[in-house]
Amino acid sequence: MSSVHDWTPTNPVKENRSGLIGKPVDRYEGPLKVTGTAPYAYEVQTPSPPAYGVMVGATIATGRITGVDIAEAEATAGVLIVWTHLNAPTQAPRGTKVHPRSSAGSKPALENDRVTYFGQPVALVVGETLEAATAGAHRVKLTYAEDHPDVDFRARLDAAVSPVGEEDVEIGNFARGFTESPVQLDQTWHTPIQNHCQMEPCASTVWFEGGKCVAHTSVQMVKPAQHGLAETIGIPRDDVHLMTRYIGGGFGGKGQTYDDLVLAALAARALGRPVKVAFTRQQMMHGTIHRPATVMRVRLGAEKDGRLNAMSMMTWTHCHRDGNFTEHASNFSRALYAAPNRLTGHRLVKLDLPGAGPMRAPGEASGTLSLECAMDELAEQLGLDPVELRIRNEPPTDPENGRPFSMRQLVRCLREGAQMFGWDRRLPTPGLVRDGRWLVGMGMAAAIRGNFLLPAKCSFTVDADGVITVKQGMTDIGTGTYTVLAQIAAETLGVPLGQVRVEIGDSELPPAPGSGGQFGAATAGSAALAAGQNLRTAIAELATGDEASPLFGGRPVDVTFQDGLVAIGNRSEALAELIRRAAPEGLTVEGEIRPAADAREWSQQTYGAHYCEVGVDPVTGEVRVRRMLGVFAAGRILNAKTARSQLTGGMIWGVGSALTEGNAVDPRYGSLINQDLAQYLVPVQADIGDLEAIMLDEVDDKANPMGVKGVGELGNSGAGAAVANAIYNACGVRVRDYPITPDKLLAGLIARGL
Amino acid sequence: MQTTITVNGQARALDIDPRTTLLDALREHLRLTGSKKGCDHGQCGACTVLVNGVRINSCLSLAVMHDGDQVTTIEGVGTPEALHPVQTAFLTQDAYQCGYCTPGQICSTLGLLRELEAGVPSQETPAGARPVLSDAEIRERMSGNICRCSAYPQIVAAIRDAAGSMA
Ligand code: FES
Ligand code: FES
C-alpha cells in the first residue's frame, strides 16, 4: 500500500538544481497562442473539405415533439443532411457500456421525441457551407405537445429533498449550541444560475480514416470523451482517436462532451467526409451545463468574545429532472472554522431546467458568498474586526473529523494580506469614507478549497538529439499544463526548457484524469515526475554500463543530470552524445502516480484571504472595484507566472459573481432569459481595477511527491464575498441576493437616506 | 459573388456566398483561423481584425462589403519565429490563459495604439485633452474584448510594455 511517507525522500523537483521549478517562465504554447496558430477543435486541418453541421434547439422545456417537417430544410440549396429523432442513425441506448471499463457510457443525440430542457438539440442540419446549414436549420419545422415547465426554483423549495445517499452532518448539538449562544446570526442568501461562458463555444471536427474515427473536440477530460463517443456510435474504444490539444476555456463546463461530438461523428460517417459542428453562443447557455442557483441559510452562534459555539450552513439547490448533480455549497464550511456544535447539509429539487453541473470552484464559489458575508455581519454585531473574528475561530485540527491539517496557513494569509492591503485604514462603521461622488469601503473574506490527487500516467522519451518528449493524455484549458510539464521534465533531466517537447490532449497517450477540481497540476505533474525519475534511472544504467562512457563502472544512483550533461563527480558527457551512441533509437519509459492510501488521514486544503476596496455611487447604485488583493497558500508553486494568472482570473470571477453574473429563468418557457454575452454580463476590462495575487511559500508533503497543490479554483473562493463586504462597508447596505446590481442597492441606499 | 480583399498584404479573390461574414470568410475560406468566433454577434471581440487600419468585429460585417479593403488579421501581425512587440508583451506578461480571446485582444491593441496616436478620445479622455496611454484609457478601450480567463490585469501590463517598446 502506498503512503504519503513514500513521498518523503528527496526528488529532482524538491532539489530544484536548475531552479526551473517555480520559475515564472513564459507559456510553452504561448508563441502559438499569440500568433493565432494554435488550432482549436473547429480549426484543425481536415484531410478533405469539411461539411458544416448546425444544431437546432427545442423551443419548449418539457414535452414531446409531435410534428416534424423537414421538407423545406432538405430542399435548401447546399443542405446535405437533415436529421431529427425520426431519421437520425441508430445509436446505443443511453448509458450503454459494451466495454465494462468504459469511463463513460453511451450518450445518444436526437434520442427520441422527448424534450427535457429548453434548447435541447432536436435536429441537425449539415450543409456544404456554414451558411447553407444555417439557412436549412432555420427551416426545420417542429411542433410540440408542451407540458407546463416546473422551473421556478424559489417557489419549489418545499419539494427539495436530501440528495440520494447524503445525510446532514451534525457534530455536537447544533440547536442547543445555537440557542444558548449570547450572540446569534440567522440569515439567508440567494445566488442565481451562472454560466461558464468559455470564450470558445463547444465544437467538434470529426472524420473517419480507414475504420478509425478521428475526433477533435474541446473537452477537459480525454478518456471519458473517447469512451463515450465509441459507446454511442457503437465502435471499439480503440477505434476512436480523440484529440483536444487547445481548449478555449473550460471552467468545469467542458468536463463532459455534448451533442456536437456525437452528431459530427454520425454525420462524418454518413457522408464519408469530415464534419464540423459547433454550438452558437446562444446555444451554449442552455445546451451546456450551468452552475445552479442556491438558497443558503447560515446560522452562527457566538460567545461575546467571538468564539463560535454553533455553526450551520444549509443549502437548497436544483438540478435537471433526470440528473443528480448537487451544488455542495455547504461542504467547505466543514473545514473552515472551529465550533463545537455544527450542522451542515444540502437539499435538492429537480426541475425542468437544463443540466446543472460543476463550474469553477463548485461548492466554494457559491458557498463563500453566504458564510463569508455572515462572518462579516457577525463581526459587526460583536464589534470585532472581521479578520480578528476569523483568527479567533481558527481550529487546531479539522473541526469535523479531528484530523490534523496537512498544512494550513490561513492565519498567515489573513495577517499578511491585511498588512499589505492597508486594512488598518478601514473604518468599521459603514458609510463614512467619501472620494468625490463615491462612497468607499473595504471588505475581506477567507478562501478555502480542497486538494486532491488522482491516478495518472505519463511517458518520457529521450531521443538522439537529447530532446525530452513528454506524452500524457492530459489537457491544458489555459491552466498552464503544457508549461509546468515542460518545467518538470527539464528540471528532472537537467536539460534546458528549449529541449523539451510536450504532447497532451490525445486519447492515445498515457491516461491522465484531465483538468478539473484544481487537481490537474498536482496529478499530471506527479506522474511526470515519476516518469522523469524512471528515465533518469534508465539513462544512469545505460551510461554506467556503457564502456564508451566516461561514467562506465560507476553506480547508477550517483549519476547527476544538469546542464544537458550526465555526470558522476567530475566525469561527464553530454546526454545527447550518450543516447546517440548507446541508444540511437531513443529511450522511452512510463511513470505513474496513485493517491496514497493514508492521504485522507490529513485534512488537505488550500487557503487564502481576499481584500477588496470598492466605490459605491449613492445616486446610481453603481459599484466599482477599485483595488483587490489575494494572498494564497497552495503548496509549492510550479510556475509563479501561470499560477498568479490562475489566481487573478479566479478573483475576477468572484467580482463577476458579486456584481453582474446571473441567469434569470423565464417561468413561461423554462428558458434562461440572458442568452448571450450582451445580457449575461461577465466582467470586462473596465470592471477591474488594480488587482494582485500573492503566493506564500509553502510545501505540503502530504499532498504528493512534489508538495504542490492547486490554484485554479482557490482564487474564486471567497472573492465575491470580499466584494460584497466592501460594498456594505462603503454604504451600509447589505444585499443578500446576488448579483448585487444597482437596482437592489438603490432600494437600500434610499432607505438609508443616502 | 466575386470579391477581392487584400488580406495581410495579399490580394485574395473570393467567389463567396453573400451571406458569409468577414470572419467566416477568413476562417473557413482563407483558412486564417487565428481570428476567433466567440459569439458571432459583436459582443466579445474575439474576431477583431483591422480593416484599413481600424479595428472592427469581423463577425458583424459581410465579406462582400470589404471588396478592395485592406484587412490585417493576427496572422499578418507576426509569426511564432518573428513576434510583433505586442505579441512578445502578451507572452511575457502572461496576458492570456486559454488563448482564445488573444488574437482579438492583440488586434484590438494595435487598433488602440493607432487611435491614441491619432488623438481619438474615449469616455476616459478629459474634455478637450489629447488621450494618453493611462490604465484607465486602456481599460475603457479594451472593454470590447472579453477574456473569460480574466487576464485583464496582465493585458493592461502587456499593452503598457508594448507601447513602451514600440515608442
Ligand atoms: S465573435 Fe465577433 S464579437 Fe464575438
Ligand atoms: S485567454 Fe481565455 S478567454 Fe482570454
Side-chain angles (χ1 to χ4, degrees):
Chain A
M1 266 301 181
S2 64
S3 157
V4 296
H5 301 295
D6 301 343
W7 301 336
T8 309
T10 190
N11 64 47
V13 165
K14 290 185 189 173
E15 289 172 4
N16 198 17
R17 290 188 183 205
S18 310
L20 283 172
I21 301 300
K23 198 171 172 185
V25 302
D26 297 340
R27 280 175 205 261
Y28 171 88
E29 79 289 12
L32 300 183
K33 284 182 175 171
V34 301
T35 53
T37 48
Y40 295 79
Y42 202 72
E43 300 162 359
V44 290
Q45 180 78 57
T46 50
S48 57
Y52 294 79
V54 171
M55 295 182 288
V56 177
T59 54
I60 62 164
T62 174
R64 292 190 183 274
I65 304 168
T66 50
V68 171
D69 176 2
I70 58 172
E72 225 188 294
E74 283 186 318
T76 303
V79 164
L80 305 167
I81 283 178
V82 182
W83 284 340
T84 67
H85 65 284
L86 294 180
N87 62 340
T90 311
Q91 302 152 72
R94 185 164 292 272
T96 302
K97 285 186 182 180
V98 171
H99 197 296
R101 284 204 310 280
S102 280
S103 49
S106 167
K107 278 212 299 196
L110 312 178
E111 192 177 1
N112 51 40
D113 64 349
R114 192 169 160 239
V115 175
T116 68
Y117 62 92
F118 188 96
Q120 173 187 322
V122 287
L124 174 79
V125 178
V126 183
E128 282 292 347
T129 62
L130 182 57
E131 293 73 31
T134 305
H138 284 136
R139 292 180 185 145
V140 172
K141 294 198 189 76
L142 299 173
T143 43
Y144 301 94
E146 185 180 3
D147 297 331
H148 183 71
D150 174 12
V151 291
D152 190 346
F153 170 52
R154 289 194 199 174
R156 298 282 283 134
L157 296 180
D158 292 350
V161 295
S162 290
V164 177
E166 286 185 31
E167 284 173 13
D168 295 346
V169 176
E170 180 159 23
I171 312 275
N173 183 329
F174 169 75
R176 198 168 63 212
F178 185 67
T179 317
E180 289 172 358
S181 295
V183 183
Q184 295 176 357
L185 174 138
D186 181 354
Q187 289 291 357
T188 299
W189 280 261
H190 295 85
T191 62
I193 289 176
Q194 294 179 343
N195 261 274
H196 303 76
C197 296
Q198 311 93 333
M199 290 309 298
E200 180 206 23
C202 292
S204 299
T205 299
V206 184
W207 64 86
F208 284 79
E209 240 167 47
K212 201 150 178 167
C213 174
V214 180
H216 291 263
T217 193
S218 187
V219 71
Q220 293 170 229
M221 282 93 176
V222 175
K223 278 288 159 188
Q226 177 203 18
H227 294 172
L229 177 58
E231 294 287 0
T232 310
I233 65 172
I235 63 175
R237 303 189 310 180
D238 289 346
D239 286 352
V240 171
H241 184 188
L242 187 124
M243 281 161 280
T244 180
R245 297 239 166 91
Y246 301 100
I247 301 161
F251 313 116
K254 293 177 185 170
Q256 62 183 84
T257 59
Y258 299 97
D259 289 354
D260 57 309
L261 177 62
V262 165
L263 290 172
L266 293 171
R269 185 157 69 180
L271 292 173
R273 67 188 271 198
V275 173
K276 315 207 282 187
V277 180
F279 275 76
T280 65
R281 173 55 58 192
Q282 288 70 17
Q283 289 174 338
M284 286 295 288
M285 291 286 178
H286 293 107
T288 68
I289 56 170
H290 58 259
R291 192 198 305 278
T294 66
V295 172
M296 297 176 280
R297 182 183 185 195
V298 179
R299 282 170 289 174
L300 301 174
E303 295 296 331
K304 293 224 165 73
D305 65 1
R307 277 181 300 113
L308 290 170
N309 271 333
M311 186 212 81
S312 169
M313 190 168 170
M314 295 300 297
T315 299
W316 285 258
T317 183
H318 59 87
C319 75
H320 181 259
R321 176 83 53 211
D322 301 334
N324 53 18
F325 175 82
T326 305
E327 184 71 39
H328 284 116
S330 302
N331 277 2
F332 78 99
S333 71
R334 293 175 182 161
L336 193 50
Y337 299 121
N341 303 294
R342 326 166 59 88
L343 174 66
T344 47
H346 302 87
R347 299 289 181 272
L348 186 62
V349 51
K350 302 206 172 184
L351 297 173
D352 299 316
L353 282 170
M359 178 163 144
R360 197 171 197 171
E364 288 84 354
S366 308
T368 52
L369 287 169
S370 65
L371 181 64
E372 284 305 285
C373 291
M375 289 295 278
D376 200 66
E377 296 193 24
L378 181 67
E380 189 186 29
Q381 259 176 271
L382 290 159
L384 261 185
D385 184 278
V387 178
E388 180 58 28
L389 175 64
R390 286 166 172 88
I391 292 173
R392 287 194 189 174
N393 286 291
E394 175 70 3
T397 56
D398 189 296
E400 296 275 298
N401 52 36
R403 287 179 195 147
F405 293 110
S406 62
M407 178 65 66
R408 179 169 164 123
Q409 298 205 74
L410 174 58
V411 171
R412 207 179 138 205
C413 292
L414 290 165
R415 289 213 163 106
E416 295 196 12
Q419 199 187 359
M420 282 184 258
F421 194 72
W423 181 251
D424 57 349
R425 294 200 300 275
R426 171 185 180 265
L427 302 180
T429 308
L432 296 184
V433 182
R434 276 243 179 205
D435 177 8
R437 70 183 166 106
W438 299 98
L439 289 166
V440 179
M442 292 188 201
M444 57 79 54
I448 183 171
R449 170 74 190 165
N451 187 62
F452 314 94
L453 183 70
L454 298 176
K457 292 183 177 172
C458 184
S459 83
F460 271 36
T461 300
V462 57
D463 68 17
D465 295 322
V467 170
I468 311 295
T469 302
V470 179
K471 294 188 181 184
Q472 193 175 44
M474 180 56 191
T475 55
D476 188 330
I477 57 175
T479 38
T481 311
Y482 277 107
T483 317
V484 298
L485 289 177
Q487 286 173 276
I488 291 167
E491 183 59 55
T492 308
L493 277 308
V495 300
L497 269 177
Q499 233 168 291
V500 178
R501 307 274 173 276
V502 181
E503 292 177 23
I504 59 173
D506 187 323
S507 62
E508 304 201 333
L509 302 180
S515 306
Q518 77 172 21
F519 54 67
T523 297
S526 296
L529 171 62
Q533 286 178 288
N534 291 343
L535 185 56
R536 278 166 70 116
T537 305
I539 294 170
E541 282 167 2
L542 187 70
T544 53
D546 176 20
E547 286 182 20
S549 171
L551 278 57
F552 178 67
R555 295 193 316 161
V557 289
D558 294 334
V559 177
T560 58
F561 297 77
Q562 217 169 344
D563 303 325
L565 303 174
V566 287
I568 297 178
N570 55 11
R571 289 185 286 156
S572 71
E573 75 170 319
L575 173 62
E577 207 173 296
L578 167 71
I579 301 298
R580 210 173 300 138
R581 185 183 62 244
E585 305 292 304
L587 284 177
T588 298
V589 301
E590 274 209 359
E592 185 175 3
I593 185 73
R594 291 182 168 281
D598 55 359
R600 292 292 137 199
E601 289 173 21
W602 287 267
S603 176
Q604 286 195 26
Q605 327 281 338
T606 57
Y607 298 94
H610 297 276
Y611 290 85
C612 179
E613 180 183 297
V614 301
V616 177
D617 184 330
V619 177
T620 63
E622 181 186 3
V623 176
R624 306 283 303 159
V625 173
R626 294 158 64 108
R627 58 192 188 100
M628 200 163 173
L629 170 73
V631 177
F632 302 98
R636 186 194 305 275
I637 298 300
L638 290 169
N639 182 322
K641 188 179 285 195
T642 56
R644 172 177 172 259
S645 291
Q646 286 273 288
L647 288 164
T648 54
M651 290 165 68
I652 292 170
W653 273 55
V655 174
S657 67
L659 297 181
T660 56
E661 288 185 44
N663 230 323
V665 172
D666 188 328
R668 295 168 301 172
Y669 309 111
S671 60
L672 302 173
I673 290 175
N674 329 28
Q675 297 191 11
D676 60 31
L677 295 170
Q679 298 175 73
Y680 184 93
L681 301 179
V682 304
V684 300
Q685 190 58 268
D687 295 326
I688 305 304
D690 293 329
L691 189 135
E692 190 49 271
I694 308 282
M695 292 159 276
L696 298 183
D697 273 344
E698 181 174 298
V699 175
D700 189 335
D701 62 2
K702 308 294 185 301
N704 50 64
M706 302 188 294
V708 312
K709 296 195 275 197
V711 293
E713 301 185 317
L714 178 62
N716 193 6
S717 170
V723 177
N725 292 336
I727 292 172
Y728 176 74
N729 184 244
C731 67
V733 179
R734 294 263 184 212
V735 175
R736 300 187 190 88
D737 183 6
Y738 292 97
I740 307 174
T741 44
D743 53 316
K744 296 177 194 167
L745 260 184
L746 268 180
L749 287 164
I750 290 165
R752 273 181 60 91
L754 282 163
Chain B
M1 249 177 100
Q2 303 286 340
T3 189
T4 302
I5 309 174
T6 302
V7 183
N8 302 328
Q10 245 187 313
R12 307 291 297 260
L14 287 163
D15 184 6
I16 204 162
D17 187 325
R19 297 170 296 186
T20 311
T21 63
L22 176 57
L23 176 62
D24 286 326
L26 293 168
R27 283 168 62 83
E28 307 302 334
H29 297 260
L30 299 176
R31 283 219 44 81
L32 294 169
T33 55
S35 306
K36 304 302 182 197
K37 186 183 284 187
C39 69
D40 221 12
H41 278 58
Q43 299 169 347
C44 76
C47 63
T48 306
V49 300
L50 299 165
V51 175
N52 304 326
V54 176
R55 51 182 172 155
I56 69 157
N57 290 332
S58 62
C59 70
L60 278 190
S61 179
L62 297 171
V64 293
M65 294 158 64
H66 292 283
D67 192 62
D69 279 346
Q70 301 272 345
V71 175
T72 304
T73 70
I74 189 71
E75 289 88 349
V77 176
T79 63
E81 296 73 35
L83 297 177
H84 184 280
V86 173
Q87 293 171 317
T88 306
F90 269 68
L91 188 71
T92 54
Q93 290 290 350
D94 209 40
Y96 60 103
Q97 292 172 38
C98 76
Y100 198 77
C101 74
T102 312
Q105 302 276 1
I106 290 171
C107 288
S108 206
T109 299
L110 292 169
L112 170 156
L113 293 173
R114 274 175 175 250
E115 287 160 23
L116 285 178
E117 216 175 273
V120 179
S122 83
Q123 184 185 294
E124 289 294 330
T125 317
R130 237 192 119 73
V132 294
L133 189 86
S134 63
D135 287 358
E137 283 280 5
I138 296 174
R139 289 187 185 127
E140 169 63 22
R141 289 168 194 264
M142 291 300 289
S143 283
N145 289 85
I146 295 176
C147 177
R148 185 51 159 168
C149 297
S150 301
Y152 297 128
Q154 292 85 348
I155 292 169
V156 173
I159 295 175
R160 282 191 160 281
D161 271 13
S165 70
M166 287 163 71

